[in-house]
C-alpha cells in the first residue's frame, strides 16, 4: 500500500486541522516535517519531501496551502515518478500570501509546469490566499482537475474544516483515476469528476 505524505503549509497544520485528523485516521499517512514552519524555504522544504519520497517509494501527496506549491515544484524532478497522485487543497498564491505575511515565504515564483502525476485541486470562491480566477489558471497549468467547494474560505480550522471525511473520499476517487490514467490520452479525460457527497 502506498504511503500518504501529509504536507502542511505556512505555520504547519496545528491541532484540530483536517490534516492532523487525517494522520489520526489513516495509519499509512505520514507527516513530512519541516525544520522551520514559520519561514518556509523552497529548497529546504523540497529536500525534506524528496527524502521522504525516497524512503517510502510510491506515495500519494495530500497538501494544503503552501504545501500545494511544494508539490507543484516537483514537476521536473526525477523523484516525481514515484508520486501516484496529489490532492492539492486550497493552494495559496505567493503574491496574496506575501501581502498577508510580508517576507515570511521564500518560495521563488508560482510554479506553472504541468504535473507528471494525477492531481486534483480543491478550492474555494472566497479564499483570501487565492482568488478563484487565479486558482482556475493554476489548475489548468498544472493539468489538474478542479473541485469548487463554494464559500469555504481557506479550507482550514478558521473556515470550519476539522475532521474532513470528504477529503478521504476525494483521494480514493483520485487514486482510481490514477490507476487508469496511463491508458487515457489527455483529450479523453472526462470534464467532470465523479465526486462523493454531492461535491461538484
Amino acid at each position: 500500500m502506498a504511503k500518504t505524505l501529509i504536507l502542511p503549509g505556512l505555520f504547519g497544520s496545528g491541532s484540530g486541522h483536517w490534516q492532523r485528523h487525517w494522520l489520526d485516521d489513516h495509519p499509512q499517512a505520514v507527516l513530512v516535517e519541516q525544520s522551520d514552519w514559520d519561514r518556509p524555504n523552497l529548497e529546504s522544504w523540497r529536500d525534506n519531501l524528496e527524502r521522504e519520497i525516497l524512503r517510502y517509494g510510491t506515495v500519494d501527496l495530500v497538501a494544503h496551502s503552501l504545501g500545494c506549491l511544494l508539490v507543484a515544484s516537483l514537476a521536473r524532478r526525477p523523484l516525481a515518478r514515484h508520486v501516484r497522485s496529489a490532492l492539492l487543497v486550497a493552494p495559496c498564491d505567493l503574491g496574496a500570501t506575501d501581502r498577508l505575511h510580508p517576507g515570511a515565504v521564500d518560495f521563488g515564483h508560482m510554479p506553472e509546469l504541468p504535473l507528471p502525476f494525477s492531481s486534483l485541486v480543491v478550492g474555494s470562491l472566497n479564499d483570501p490566499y487565492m482568488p478563484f480566477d487565479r486558482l482556475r489558471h493554476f489548475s489548468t497549468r498544472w493539468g489538474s482537475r478542479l473541485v469548487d467547494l463554494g464559500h469555504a474560505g481557506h479550507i482550514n480550522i478558521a473556515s470550519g474544516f476539522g475532521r474532513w471525511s470528504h477529503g478521504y473520499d476525494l483521494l480514493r476517487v483520485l487514486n482510481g483515476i490514477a490507476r487508469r490514467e496511463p491508458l487515457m490520452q489527455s483529450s479523453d479525460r472526462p470534464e467532470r469528476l465523479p465526486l462523493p457527497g454531492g461535491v461538484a
Side-chain angles (χ1 to χ4, degrees), residues 37-55:
W37 291 109
D38 297 344
R39 307 287 294 186
N41 171 271
L42 176 58
E43 289 188 10
S44 173
W45 278 34
R46 189 166 57 202
D47 284 348
N48 290 331
L49 171 57
E50 291 187 332
R51 191 175 300 116
E52 295 302 293
I53 293 173
L54 271 175
R55 176 182 300 179

Side-chain angles (χ1 to χ4, degrees), residues 31 43 46 64 70 83 106 126 134 148 151 166 185:
L31 178 72
E43 289 188 10
R46 189 166 57 202
H64 180 252
L70 175 61
V83 177
D106 179 15
N126 63 333
R134 296 274 287 170
D148 166 20
H151 291 81
H166 281 325
Q185 300 296 322

Side-chain angles (χ1 to χ4, degrees), residues 1-149:
M1 180 179 292
K3 283 288 185 180
T4 301
L5 301 186
I6 304 295
L7 309 174
L10 178 63
F11 309 131
S13 293
S15 177
H17 192 283
W18 61 264
Q19 286 189 314
R20 292 289 174 177
H21 287 294
W22 198 304
L23 290 164
D24 292 338
D25 294 344
H26 296 86
Q28 81 280 11
V30 176
L31 178 72
V32 176
E33 292 283 0
Q34 300 295 349
S35 57
D36 192 343
W37 291 109
D38 297 344
R39 307 287 294 186
N41 171 271
L42 176 58
E43 289 188 10
S44 173
W45 278 34
R46 189 166 57 202
D47 284 348
N48 290 331
L49 171 57
E50 291 187 332
R51 191 175 300 116
E52 295 302 293
I53 293 173
L54 271 175
R55 176 182 300 179
Y56 294 112
T58 302
V59 298
D60 298 312
L61 305 178
V62 175
H64 180 252
S65 193
L66 191 65
C68 301
L69 305 193
L70 175 61
V71 173
S73 79
L74 294 176
R76 287 188 176 168
R77 307 285 289 188
L79 285 177
R81 69 183 184 275
H82 295 294
V83 177
R84 178 172 64 172
S85 67
L87 181 64
L88 307 174
V89 182
C92 67
D93 180 80
L94 287 174
T97 302
D98 190 60
R99 287 190 292 273
L100 291 166
H101 308 284
V105 176
D106 179 15
F107 253 57
H109 302 288
M110 286 293 295
E112 297 205 35
L113 294 175
L115 300 178
F117 40 79
S118 296
S119 58
L120 176 64
V121 169
V122 182
S124 163
L125 294 172
N126 63 333
D127 187 342
Y129 287 87
M130 176 72 86
F132 194 73
D133 60 337
R134 296 274 287 170
L135 183 71
R136 274 198 303 254
H137 168 81
F138 289 111
S139 298
T140 299
R141 297 291 298 198
W142 298 338
S144 305
R145 293 166 175 82
L146 173 61
V147 175
D148 166 20
L149 294 188

Side-chain angles (χ1 to χ4, degrees), residues 120 147 149 164-174 193-200:
L120 176 64
V147 175
L149 294 188
W164 180 44
S165 59
H166 281 325
Y168 311 155
D169 297 332
L170 289 172
L171 184 61
R172 283 193 288 270
V173 170
L174 181 57
L193 190 65
L195 299 173
V199 177

